[in-house]
Amino acid sequence: MTEIHFDHIKVRDLREFAERVLGSAQPGQFIPITMQRALAHANNPYAAKDDVALLVAVDEDDDIVGFFGILPLLLRHGEELFKVHWFTTWSVSSKVRGAGVGAQLMAEALSLKQDYLIVGSVHARRVCRKNDFWERAPLRYYWLDATGMGHLNPLVWLRRVLRKVVHRLHLKREVPLKTKWTKRVDGWFAPWMKKMVYGLVSGPRDSLLAGIHYEEVTRLRALPTTPGLRPQVELYRGVDAINWMLQYPWIVDEGQSVTEEMQYYFTDTRPLYRVFGVEISSPQGEYLGFVAFSISRKSKDSVILKMMDYQFSRPEDQRYALALAIQYGRQYAADTIELPHEMAQYVRPHWLGKLLLHQKERIYQCMPKAEDSPLAHAWEDLAFKLVDGDMAFS
């Protein structure tokens, strides 16, 4: 059995650790962190310098063979704030895959006796369930399909009918909805459909934006807290955390990362990646609120706009956030706009919204450090948001 020891890299040592490891790494080598992630974690406004931010598994040859990322953040319960921790990255080198190193990393993390949360892959959820993590009903959110092809591709219709026939006949055959042919049809029709969809949904929202002033900024200003607009229990994310996200993205454009040719399990570059904040004011100069977006191209055929954060003094001003999302979606020719569930109310009643909106789910799990810990007390009442934990950086 492979002998493993674990190094605990604290927030204050992250940058130096990353510079040392990456400075000696070769192309294709397994690495535990990118420089952009190291800088971001090191500047986390909710982390203490002694917080452990990264667990590194090292074998008898002194090779790094696994890592486990930990992101400190704050839980707000009423007016009280408590430190909790989010699992962000978890990977094992092919050199030791199957030797139980991933399970040892989880055990090492749990030995720190901290309140933990995670939203992860199917495999990660399976491992967390084996470790008796608690689980909540999924968070629902929406994708607005600006191409319309999710519901309007005729080959997808045909394959849905075929699936129902196969199911009713009790045939043991899986009929995939997406094939190379449905994707080819998408490629033919999506650009034309996108122009039509944005033309239909933009008109009334263009007139809405004409009545306000909005501008992109490098740092967002805080708004005064409005009683009743915040949930009683949430993962706290003040404007300082949003500005931190804007200043220290984990993903950069292709050609800008020193780790691009190295073996890092998680994405560190994309053909297009940008995060930006937009402040909104009335014509009289009254500051109404802000929205933060990310725009990402994961492949040459897919552009995704995400509404990351927003805050307004008045609930009725939230409609400006959706109007801006559609404006930027059109500007970047986004195929998909990812929206919090509360934004769907502005789209769903319209017949076109029913065609374009696709409901998604995200499953959260937690492991409280004790039965009476702050997270244990808050778990059932915790109101999750689309950008909780490390989602704002992805």
Side-chain angles (χ1 to χ4, degrees), residues 189-205:
F189 289 104
W192 304 100
M193 289 291 295
K194 203 174 351 180
K195 289 181 181 179
M196 183 185 75
V197 167
Y198 278 121
L200 289 170
V201 300
S202 296
R205 292 177 176 87

Side-chain angles (χ1 to χ4, degrees), residues 45-112:
Y46 300 153
K49 296 300 182 184
D50 285 332
D51 284 334
V52 175
L54 184 67
L55 298 176
V56 178
V58 183
D59 68 6
E60 62 266 25
D61 299 323
D62 282 335
D63 289 336
I64 293 174
V65 293
F67 60 86
F68 204 112
I70 302 173
L71 178 71
L73 47 81
L74 297 177
L75 167 71
R76 184 182 68 82
H77 198 154
E79 298 305 315
E80 293 187 272
L81 295 174
F82 304 95
K83 178 74 70 68
V84 294
H85 297 79
W86 194 272
F87 290 156
T88 63
T89 52
W90 183 12
S91 185
V92 171
S93 168
S94 57
K95 179 181 180 181
V96 295
R97 199 153 293 155
V101 176
Q104 292 179 63
L105 278 163
M106 170 65 82
E108 187 72 12
L110 296 180
S111 73
L112 297 177

Side-chain angles (χ1 to χ4, degrees), residues 243-291:
N243 285 328
W244 165 55
M245 173 197 76
L246 297 177
Q247 186 175 358
Y248 296 101
W250 291 1
I251 301 168
V252 294
D253 290 339
E254 290 179 346
Q256 295 185 9
S257 173
V258 298
T259 53
E260 198 165 349
E261 302 301 323
M262 297 178 189
Q263 188 189 143
Y264 185 65
Y265 179 78
F266 299 90
T267 302
D268 65 329
T269 66
R270 287 179 187 157
L272 168 67
Y273 189 79
R274 182 176 176 237
V275 289
F276 56 98
V278 183
E279 290 189 338
I280 303 161
S281 303
S282 71
Q284 294 75 34
E286 177 191 3
Y287 184 34
L288 301 179
F290 62 78
V291 192

Side-chain angles (χ1 to χ4, degrees), residues 182-191:
T182 61
K183 291 177 182 177
R184 186 167 292 181
V185 171
D186 284 354
W188 290 335
F189 289 104

